[in-house]
Amino acid sequence: MTFYLALSVLLFCVGLAGVLARRHAIMALIGIELMLNAANINFIAFWRHSSAADDLSGMFWMIFSVAIAAAEAAVGLALVILVFRHRRSVRLDELESLKG
Amino acid sequence: MEGGFIAMPTDVILWILGGLILISAVMSLALRNLIHCALFLMVCFLGLAGLYLHLNAVFSGLVQALVYVGAVGIILIFAILLTEGGGTETGSHLGSQWRTGIGLAVLLAFALLGAVSNSPQTTQAARHTEEPTVREIGLKLMTDYLLPLQTIGLLLTAAAIGAVVLAMQEPKPRKDETP
């Protein structure tokens, strides 16, 4: 159990470092996907280690989380493509129209 | 001794899977070529699917492989090709505050690892119960989890339509370019 939790922590932090450090918008989305997957490891690990006999809630949490992540990826990438079409750039630090 | 003998391959598989997941995750965020990043991300997702299979959660592992490796990976590669042409990024690929970002992530990792190692929850052994059959999963989805299922269907429909509406807007043709 400790193994899965530690793996989940490390995966989450790798994703967080990617989101914070990379300039490219698609890389930020990849980091977000990694963080969501880290959460899914926890759902499955706790589900397989719980003492409840035939409770499937951990698996359903994971499946709904995957569905939400897929929706998020679709909308996020559509936004990236739209921003690229308007600005010809998807560098996160060049999108500063709202900067005061 | 016999128990250790049987448990040994399990541990080896776990460590291999964990190493594969972490290394490919780091590679998917550290490389300069975006296509390589997306391919390493798919390797990472496949490793996670293997981890779920190893945890005796077969349905979840297959969902992971299908949705992430199949759908999200392909859509990522499409988006990369549609924006940057798949080339290597020009200039620095790191943001201006990347030291702060990575430092924050490392700090969080240490804090969370400390919390995990001190947690009393981690001593439970894995149950070796049967994986629920697809029939059971379907029945549960159609009875106990009907409302979440419908909600997620609505959400996915809205997301698909929204993505199409966002991405399909062609730039308006200028008046002097009309054929």
Side-chain angles (χ1 to χ4, degrees):
Chain A
M1 188 71 193
T2 313
F3 176 85
Y4 300 108
L5 292 180
L7 181 65
S8 162
V9 164
L10 290 176
L11 196 59
F12 185 89
C13 291
V14 168
L16 182 67
V19 170
L20 292 179
R22 290 297 295 254
R23 292 173 80 202
H24 201 283
I26 290 179
M27 299 309 295
L29 279 173
I30 288 180
I32 291 172
E33 294 295 329
L34 285 178
M35 291 198 277
L36 285 163
N37 271 286
N40 287 344
I41 296 178
N42 280 351
F43 284 133
I44 296 295
F46 274 108
W47 172 51
R48 294 317 286 180
H49 288 75
S50 79
S51 50
D54 55 344
D55 187 10
L56 300 186
S57 54
M59 192 194 67
F60 283 121
W61 268 101
M62 181 265 179
I63 288 173
F64 288 137
S65 154
V66 165
I68 291 172
E72 170 262 330
V75 176
L77 290 170
L79 282 173
V80 168
I81 290 174
L82 194 66
V83 167
F84 178 74
R85 228 178 247 160
H86 278 276
R87 310 288 305 265
R88 311 308 297 173
S89 164
V90 283
R91 304 269 190 277
L92 288 176
D93 46 2
E94 290 172 10
L95 306 175
E96 50 187 14
S97 303
L98 288 178
K99 204 170 183 177
Chain B
M1 282 304 284
E2 285 162 335
F5 217 69
I6 295 170
M8 191 57 189
T10 310
D11 276 359
V12 170
I13 291 172
L14 266 187
W15 283 105
I16 290 174
L17 277 176
L20 177 75
I21 290 167
L22 279 180
I23 289 172
S24 55
V26 170
M27 294 294 274
S28 77
L29 288 170
L31 293 180
R32 292 181 72 89
N33 190 319
L34 291 174
I35 293 288
H36 294 174
C37 293
L39 292 177
F40 265 109
L41 187 75
M42 287 160 91
V43 173
C44 176
F45 289 158
L46 267 182
L48 282 167
L51 190 75
Y52 297 157
L53 293 181
H54 186 264
L55 267 170
N56 208 8
V58 179
F59 190 73
S60 308
L62 294 181
V63 164
Q64 170 85 15
L66 277 177
V67 175
Y68 272 114
V69 183
V72 176
I74 297 298
I75 207 178
L76 266 172
I77 288 180
F78 263 99
I80 291 169
L81 290 177
L82 282 175
T83 52
E84 294 284 297
T88 311
E89 282 183 77
T90 52
S92 169
H93 62 304
L94 293 171
S96 52
Q97 297 182 328
W98 63 276
R99 286 187 188 82
T100 320
I102 291 180
L104 270 178
V106 171
L107 271 182
L108 184 68
F110 276 117
L112 285 177
L113 281 177
V116 164
S117 63
N118 287 328
S119 165
Q121 288 285 330
T122 56
T123 51
Q124 290 175 341
R127 295 178 296 133
H128 290 286
T129 50
E130 289 296 309
E131 157 79 1
T133 62
V134 178
R135 176 183 168 79
E136 285 172 10
I137 294 170
L139 282 175
K140 277 267 191 189
L141 269 180
M142 282 298 147
T143 54
D144 293 353
Y145 292 89
L146 187 59
L147 184 62
L149 183 72
Q150 299 286 337
T151 314
I152 219 82
L154 193 66
L155 175 79
L156 281 175
T157 313
I161 295 174
V164 169
V165 168
L166 279 177
M168 287 296 282
Q169 285 172 355
E170 291 295 323
K172 285 175 189 165
R174 291 183 193 142
K175 281 173 187 170
D176 52 338
E177 286 179 1
T178 48

